[in-house]
Amino acid sequence: MARKTKEDAQKTRDAILDGAEQVFLAKGVAQSTMADIADAAGVSRGAVYGHYPNKIDVCKAMSERMLACQSMHYCSSHHSAMEALVQTGLYYLRLFCQPSSIQTVIAILYFKCERSAENAPLIRHRDLITKLAMHYSLRLLRRAVQNQELPASLDLRLSNHYLHTVFDGTYDMLQDLYPDRPQAALPDCERILRTAVESLRQAPHLQQKTS
C-alpha cells in the first residue's frame, strides 16, 4: 500500500510540473498563479500546495527535473578538445530545438523568467545552470591548450565567454529564423560554431595581456 501511495504522489508531482511548464511558457512566471498551475495539471489547488509551497518552488522543481534528465548529461568521447567543443555545442542545440520538456523549460528559464524580487531564487538557479555550462567548456579549453591544439597564450576566461556568446546567438537563430522547424538551421549553426572554435587558434585580441 505504501508503495502505491508513493507512486501516486509522484504522478501528481509530474502532473503539476507538466502543467506548470504549459502555464509558465504561456504567461511567464510573474503572471502565473498556483491556481493556473492546478487547472493545467487537472488537480486541486490543495494538491499543488501539498507538494510545493509556492510557484517559485514549482519552477525550481521543474528545472531540477530537466537537469536530472539523462539526455542533459553529455560527455564527449572525442580525443580532440576542439572537436569536443563543437560537438558539445551541437548536441545541446539539437536537444533544445526538439519539441520536448527540455526545450520548454529552457525557454521558460531564459525568456519567461522576468527579473524581479519574487523571481530572485529562480534567477540564481538559472545562473547556476549557466555557470555549470561555463565550467564544462572551460575544462575543454584547458584540455585544448594542454594538447597543444590552442596556444598557451590564449586568455581562456575571455575565450570561454566568447564561445558562449556565439552559442547563445546560434540558439537565438534557431528560434528566430526557423521557429517552426529549428532543425533546418542546424547546418548553418554548425558552420558558425566551427568557425568560432577554429578562430581561437589565431585570435590576437583573445591573447592574455602582458604587462
Side-chain angles (χ1 to χ4, degrees), residues 20-197:
E21 288 181 8
Q22 299 173 29
V23 172
F24 291 145
L25 185 64
K27 303 180 69 172
V29 177
Q31 300 301 317
S32 300
T33 67
M34 293 287 269
D36 293 330
I37 295 169
D39 289 343
V43 300
S44 67
R45 275 181 278 182
V48 178
Y49 281 108
H51 289 281
Y52 304 102
N54 53 61
K55 67 181 179 181
I56 303 302
D57 283 298
V58 174
C59 196
K60 285 178 66 177
M62 179 191 70
S63 62
E64 286 166 355
R65 182 176 69 165
M66 176 201 69
L67 288 174
C69 180
Q70 187 61 38
S71 59
M72 285 293 292
H73 301 280
Y74 176 69
C75 294
S76 176
S77 59
H78 293 272
H79 295 297
S80 165
M82 300 277 281
E83 184 62 23
L85 282 166
V86 173
Q87 293 301 326
T88 300
L90 287 173
Y91 176 84
Y92 285 107
L93 283 177
R94 292 189 188 101
L95 193 64
F96 296 161
C97 77
Q98 295 171 354
S100 65
S101 178
I102 292 173
Q103 182 196 53
T104 300
V105 175
I106 290 296
I108 291 168
L109 289 177
Y110 287 90
F111 301 107
K112 297 289 187 174
C113 184
E114 305 86 345
R115 285 196 174 272
S116 66
E118 182 186 33
N119 288 349
L122 290 179
I123 300 299
R124 289 194 294 271
H125 189 69
R126 184 182 71 190
D127 290 345
L128 176 61
I129 294 173
T130 301
K131 286 180 181 178
L132 290 173
M134 294 284 288
H135 179 69
Y136 180 74
S137 56
L138 184 60
R139 283 171 51 198
L140 287 176
L141 283 169
R142 285 175 176 155
R143 199 176 94 194
V145 170
Q146 292 171 353
N147 294 348
Q148 299 183 334
E149 298 174 65
L150 290 174
S153 59
L154 195 66
D155 185 328
L156 298 184
R157 178 193 63 83
L158 192 57
S159 298
N160 198 28
H161 282 291
Y162 163 66
L163 289 181
H164 278 266
T165 300
V166 173
F167 179 85
D168 290 345
T170 55
Y171 177 79
D172 290 342
M173 188 173 80
L174 287 174
Q175 306 303 312
D176 296 340
L177 298 183
Y178 300 88
D180 298 323
R181 49 188 189 95
Q183 291 198 21
L186 284 174
D188 286 343
C189 289
E190 179 174 359
R191 292 170 66 187
I192 291 171
L193 289 179
R194 287 193 179 281
T195 298
V197 171

